[in-house]
Amino acid sequence: MPGAREYAAMESGPAIFAGTVFVLFGAALLVWAGTRLRSGAPVVEGVSSPLPVPLVLLFGPAALVTGGWLLLSA
């Protein structure tokens, strides 16, 4: 039966992986949207421009915060 230290070590691996994925996704989403908005191109093809911007501003930072929380809790 694993002790508390071994159990914590087993749980930190997936938390680090998930936190890294969330941080990379949130950063990439914000960079992508910022680049597309700066160049005047639509953020999402076939969708009117006002709709994706608030969603990006909601989900991008939410992914960054979630990833940071997972990395700090690991």
Side-chain angles (χ1 to χ4, degrees):
M1 180 146 187
R5 183 172 289 179
E6 289 96 14
Y7 183 73
M10 289 189 299
E11 292 296 318
S12 66
I16 291 171
F17 176 75
T20 303
V21 169
F22 271 100
V23 167
L24 289 175
F25 173 74
L29 183 63
L30 290 173
V31 167
W32 168 261
T35 303
R36 300 289 287 184
L37 287 172
R38 180 176 285 169
S39 69
V43 176
V44 179
E45 288 294 327
V47 178
S48 63
S49 184
L51 180 64
V53 175
L55 292 176
V56 166
L57 292 177
L58 176 71
F59 288 113
L64 287 172
V65 168
T66 303
W69 175 71
L70 284 169
L71 288 173
L72 290 175
S73 68

